Amino acid sequence: MPKFHIKRGDVVVVIAGAHRGKRGKVLEMLPEKRRARVEGVAMIKRHLKKSQEHPQGTIAEREGSIDISNLMPLARWEKTKAAQQAPEKQA
């Protein structure tokens, strides 16, 4: 299994793509696809068929996956933002 810069439970920031700037906790890693599920990011609608739990069927929202290259740990992201703003204050 490859080693990644994030792991399950980390708080991350989306740095690229349609969900850029959103933050969330990593719920699941999908190493074979190089993707991760992040809490509250990339929500998709899943159609569920009838069951005892849902007699009419339902449309459930759940997290989709995001490519790992588009995620950065929150601590590292804040450190880079602070470094970018520091030169502006000196000038």
Side-chain angles (χ1 to χ4, degrees), residues 8-47:
R8 186 174 46 201
D10 286 354
V11 178
V12 295
V13 179
V14 180
I15 58 171
H19 305 286
R20 182 178 182 171
K22 291 186 180 179
R23 302 172 185 203
K25 188 169 87 170
V26 177
L27 300 175
E28 180 183 9
M29 295 293 293
L30 307 168
E32 57 281 342
K33 295 182 179 181
R34 293 189 43 84
R35 297 177 80 78
R37 291 192 203 281
V38 180
E39 187 176 38
V41 179
M43 299 301 285
I44 59 172
K45 292 187 187 280
R46 180 88 177 135
H47 295 257

